[in-house]
Amino acid sequence: MKKKMLLLNTTVLLGLGGVLSTPAYASTIQDMESQKSQIQNQRQDVQSNIKAASDELTRLQAEQDQMKAQLERLTLAEEENNKKAQKTEADIKETSKQVDQLEKEIKLLQEKLEKRNDILKDRARSMQESGGNVEYLQVLLGSSSFGDFVDRALAVSTIVDADRGILTETKNMQDELKTKQADVKSKLTSLEDMKAELDEMTVQLAAQKKQKDALAKELKDKEAKNEELKASLQSKDSSLANEQSTLEQNIKDQKAAEEAARKAAEQAAKEAAKKAAEQAQKAAAAPSEKADSPSPKAALKASSNDVAPTSAPAPKASNVVTVGNRWIGNSAYVFGGGRSQSDINHGLFDCSSFVHWAYSQVGVNLGPLGSVSTETLKHAGTQVSSSQMQPGDLVFFDTYKKDGHVGIYVGGGKFIGAQSSTGVAIANMSSGYWKQKFNGRVVRI
């Protein structure tokens, strides 16, 4: 009887152990957890790429905004330079008319002077041939009265002096007109030089605008492609999220099914154990047998699949060489620009107004802003030798005129200034164009 009871208990325990182990469930959940982990890793990679794409979009948009602002500056600079070019052309026409009028007046005076010279020569020749008194006698003998005689005598005695005075006056007028003509021609030459620089500047600004338009289009294309990539990544992430959600639900359902099966197995085990106990009690009640069999409840041991949760300063003069860096790539050259707060706010400078602004930022006043020019700046400090040049010194270049351009030396053979081709920029004066134009003038403020 004891052997029968032992066999029965062993059978119950084996049956319960087989039910509780549920190898099919464990294998399925393990596979799904592995798939879930793989999807999570994929999502992390995708989300990382999405963030990178978003960061790149932000950078491109900022670059595009900066490019748009610079295009607006170049457009404004082009308009201002065109206005100045038109005014310069009008001034050239007016000055040309003045030159033409003065040349006509000089020509008339030259003709009058030549006639007077011929008359004086004839008179001198006649007096020399007649001994010097023929004209005098003819004048006196031809008088009709004493009063006429006196008047003629006075006229003869002063005629040479009178002609000399007229000649001298005419010569002075001619010299004066020639001086005026030279001044007007000088002004005309200066205006023509200015017009040539404005024309060149307009061409350069147009080229810059074309180049920046092309760059803006390139940025726009990059932005569109990046947007497309971001959208594709977001779509992939959404798809992976759906897969992950489905797996999580399947795992949840599978665990619920496993839990139900476990509870059913426990219930079946309890019922089997109860039945075995009842049979044991019946057997124990028999006189020939003793109830020395171990209790089925003592033979059974509980198992659990639960897992413990886990938890997861003031400006300095020395700064003048760098204070203008903020305008590099954010400015445009306007002839005569930079002399109003509106121009400065929009980054519109010419060479002298930029130098004035830079020094004002470090507390140095270079005179009235409205009248600053290369001429005023070259007298603003102390002239030093170019061999003693140091950062912060003003350097001058002969462009459309002598000392036509000025910048601030930054060291290493370079200077910062507002150039017509680039706006505010750092340029090399130790080689190329600016080396050829540097005239050796250095002014220390």
Side-chain angles (χ1 to χ4, degrees):
M1 184 66 183
K2 290 182 179 180
K3 291 182 178 179
K4 290 182 178 179
M5 290 301 299
L6 180 60
L7 180 60
L8 175 61
N9 291 337
T10 303
T11 303
V12 170
L13 288 173
L14 289 173
L16 180 59
V19 172
L20 290 178
S21 64
T22 57
Y25 287 127
S27 176
T28 303
I29 291 175
Q30 184 178 2
D31 290 343
M32 287 191 292
E33 289 286 2
S34 177
Q35 292 177 27
K36 177 184 173 182
S37 178
Q38 291 175 4
I39 290 174
Q40 286 175 331
N41 290 337
Q42 291 179 34
R43 286 196 68 193
Q44 287 179 356
D45 292 340
V46 171
Q47 288 170 354
S48 176
N49 290 334
I50 290 174
K51 184 179 183 305
S54 296
D55 292 343
E56 178 66 7
L57 275 174
T58 301
R59 187 191 70 78
L60 288 172
Q61 287 168 353
E63 190 174 345
Q64 192 173 31
D65 290 342
Q66 185 178 5
M67 190 66 61
K68 182 179 179 182
Q70 181 65 1
L71 286 172
E72 291 174 354
R73 282 190 206 94
L74 288 170
T75 300
L76 182 58
E78 189 176 27
E79 292 173 355
E80 291 297 320
N81 285 319
N82 285 336
K83 290 178 183 177
K84 286 183 173 60
Q86 292 171 3
K87 184 179 183 304
T88 301
E89 287 179 350
D91 290 343
I92 289 173
K93 289 181 180 179
E94 182 61 29
T95 305
S96 297
K97 289 180 181 178
Q98 295 176 15
V99 172
D100 292 341
Q101 182 61 33
L102 286 171
E103 288 178 344
K104 290 179 181 178
E105 292 178 9
I106 290 174
K107 184 177 181 181
L108 289 174
L109 283 172
Q110 286 174 339
E111 291 175 355
K112 289 181 180 180
L113 184 60
E114 289 174 359
K115 289 180 180 179
R116 289 180 182 181
N117 285 339
D118 290 340
I119 292 172
L120 290 174
K121 288 178 182 178
D122 290 341
R123 287 178 180 176
R125 189 181 302 110
S126 176
M127 289 181 68
Q128 184 179 6
E129 291 174 354
S130 61
N133 59 359
V134 174
E135 238 179 333
Y136 181 77
L137 292 174
Q138 288 177 346
V139 171
L140 294 182
L141 294 174
S143 60
S144 58
S145 64
F146 182 74
D148 186 28
F149 172 81
V150 173
D151 291 337
R152 288 181 177 235
L154 290 172
V156 169
S157 65
T158 60
I159 189 168
V160 175
D161 291 337
D163 285 341
R164 185 182 297 112
I166 293 173
L167 180 60
T168 301
E169 181 182 356
T170 304
K171 182 67 167 61
N172 290 340
M173 290 177 63
Q174 185 184 42
D175 291 342
E176 181 180 357
L177 285 173
K178 284 184 177 180
T179 300
K180 289 182 179 180
Q181 185 186 44
D183 291 342
V184 174
K185 282 186 175 181
S186 176
K187 181 181 179 182
L188 181 61
T189 300
S190 177
L191 288 171
E192 288 173 344
D193 289 341
M194 187 186 300
K195 173 67 167 51
E197 183 174 24
L198 285 168
D199 288 344
E200 177 64 21
M201 191 181 348
T202 300
V203 172
Q204 290 173 345
L205 286 170
Q208 282 185 48
K209 190 172 183 297
K210 182 178 180 181
Q211 182 180 8
K212 291 185 182 297
D213 281 338
L215 185 56
K217 183 179 182 302
E218 181 181 346
L219 287 173
K220 191 69 176 176
D221 292 343
K222 285 183 179 179
E223 185 179 346
K225 289 180 180 178
N226 212 54
E227 286 279 12
E228 184 179 347
L229 173 61
K230 181 180 176 182
S232 174
L233 289 169
Q234 288 174 331
S235 175
K236 183 175 181 180
D237 182 63
S238 177
S239 176
L240 289 171
N242 290 335
E243 288 185 40
Q244 181 179 338
S245 177
T246 300
L247 277 172
E248 287 173 348
Q249 185 61 45
N250 289 343
I251 291 171
K252 182 179 179 181
D253 294 343
Q254 195 71 19
K255 284 183 176 180
E258 181 181 351
E259 180 66 13
R262 185 182 68 79
K263 288 181 178 180
E266 286 181 351
Q267 184 63 31
K270 287 179 181 180
E271 291 177 357
K274 182 179 179 181
K275 186 175 181 180
E278 289 175 351
Q279 291 177 354
Q281 288 176 358
K282 289 180 180 181
S288 59
E289 295 183 7
K290 296 183 179 180
D292 55 355
S293 300
S295 171
K297 290 184 178 180
L300 293 175
K301 293 184 180 180
S303 64
S304 173
N305 293 327
D306 294 340
V307 180
T310 59
S311 60
K316 297 180 180 179
S318 59
N319 293 339
V320 73
V321 300
T322 57
V323 72
N325 289 351
R326 59 170 289 195
W327 294 116
I328 295 176
N330 297 307
S331 61
Y333 185 95
V334 173
F335 200 94
R339 287 163 179 77
S340 68
Q341 194 57 47
S342 176
D343 277 359
I344 293 173
N345 291 342
H346 287 88
L348 304 178
F349 296 97
D350 66 6
C351 62
S352 53
S353 66
F354 170 74
V355 169
H356 187 284
W357 174 85
Y359 268 94
S360 72
Q361 299 305 296
V362 296
V364 178
N365 186 356
L366 295 182
L369 176 60
S371 58
V372 66
S373 66
T374 54
E375 289 297 314
T376 64
L377 290 176
K378 73 181 184 182
H379 301 296
T382 304
Q383 303 274 338
V384 298
S385 170
S386 60
S387 62
Q388 298 175 338
M389 190 162 47
Q390 61 187 29
D393 290 344
L394 304 187
V395 287
F396 291 79
F397 306 84
D398 293 342
T399 51
Y400 73 100
K401 67 173 184 177
K402 185 171 180 59
D403 298 317
H405 188 70
V406 62
I408 302 171
Y409 187 65
V410 300
K414 296 180 180 180
F415 75 97
I416 185 171
Q419 278 71 262
S420 61
S421 59
T422 59
V424 176
I426 294 175
N428 190 349
M429 58 182 289
S430 60
S431 64
Y433 176 82
W434 292 112
K435 181 180 180 180
Q436 296 174 2
K437 296 298 181 180
F438 178 53
N439 61 19
R441 187 188 299 280
V442 181
V443 173
R444 185 161 297 159
I445 303 300

